[in-house]
Amino acid sequence: MNATADRKPVHLAVYDTLADWETGHATAHLARAGHRIRTVGPSTDPVTSIGGLRIQPDTALDDVRPEDSSLLILPGADLWDTSGDLAPFARKARAFLEAGVPVAAICGATAGLAREGLLDDRDHTSAVSFYLAATGYAGGGRYVETDAVTDRNLVTAGPTEPVAFAREIFRLLGVYEGEVLDAWYRLFHDSDPAAYAVLEKAGAA
């Protein structure tokens, strides 16, 4: 049987006001590497991104189980900071992490995880430290001033680091490694043309 068919899908959370730009590098290159991407909404009703994109979720959050997934990606959204509507996604992230299934959160989603207590005992990052401090969480001592952080099976990043966010996801899932991973980052973060040759040689271009 095809190994790609056997691979559990990556679940991308989608909800109203989601930040379109934060997960595109990750999902596009995961798909190119053979990972199926499934969108997960609060329900299967359509949602609308910050950029006005209308997205029909593949499945509802209540129907997603960690054992059926290889990763849960949580993008930022205005709703993380303006209501409690997305708290169920943070609770689902807890279930994933407790089951040993990776979670990747960027921008406002990191605040959601902070409120859920999931950053108290893990190194992490976000937009700025005081953004997370405003949640009242207990993990301020584990905050790292860097582009993206992976601690065990959790990736975090700030809103201006979608490429570093993708890099950490690829490293965690073994999509790209070593020189190839470094080249991918240099190409898409630094526009380094020399990096393309490395990717092309590795069949990752």
Side-chain angles (χ1 to χ4, degrees):
M1 183 175 287
N2 189 306
T4 299
D6 286 344
R7 185 181 288 157
K8 295 176 182 178
V10 168
H11 286 94
L12 170 67
V14 295
Y15 21 70
D16 286 333
T17 74
L18 78 90
D20 315 67
W21 64 91
E22 293 176 345
T23 60
H25 287 284
T27 54
H29 290 270
L30 285 170
R32 290 188 69 179
H35 288 266
R36 290 173 293 144
I37 310 296
R38 299 275 293 170
T39 53
V40 183
S43 69
T44 54
D45 293 337
V47 299
T48 304
S49 74
I50 288 176
L53 297 181
R54 185 176 169 87
I55 302 167
Q56 179 77 54
D58 294 315
T59 190
L61 183 65
D62 285 347
D63 296 328
V64 174
R65 305 185 306 166
E67 58 266 35
D68 298 328
S69 182
S70 60
L71 172 70
L72 174 64
I73 301 177
L74 300 174
D78 290 345
L79 286 179
W80 283 112
D81 297 319
T82 59
S83 78
D85 291 356
L86 301 186
F89 285 89
R91 291 195 290 272
K92 184 66 73 170
R94 176 180 291 279
F96 268 62
L97 293 172
E98 289 179 347
V101 181
V103 172
I106 186 169
C107 188
T110 63
L113 298 193
R115 295 184 189 98
E116 183 64 21
L118 297 175
L119 304 184
D120 291 349
D121 62 350
R122 290 178 172 86
D123 290 346
H124 59 275
T125 194
S126 184
V128 287
S129 60
F130 56 80
Y131 170 64
L132 291 187
T135 68
Y137 82 133
R142 302 295 295 269
Y143 189 90
V144 182
E145 293 283 0
T146 191
D147 54 8
V149 172
T150 300
D151 188 330
R152 288 166 281 172
N153 53 354
L154 176 64
V155 174
T156 53
T160 61
E161 297 294 346
V163 179
F165 183 60
R167 178 196 65 205
E168 295 304 300
I169 289 172
F170 301 156
R171 192 198 317 271
L172 191 62
L173 295 185
V175 174
Y176 303 132
E177 298 176 327
E179 181 185 37
V180 175
L181 180 64
D182 177 67
W184 183 90
Y185 181 77
R186 287 189 290 110
L187 179 62
F188 287 95
H189 187 268
D190 304 325
S191 300
D192 180 357
Y196 184 82
V198 177
L199 296 176
E200 188 174 39
K201 182 179 180 180

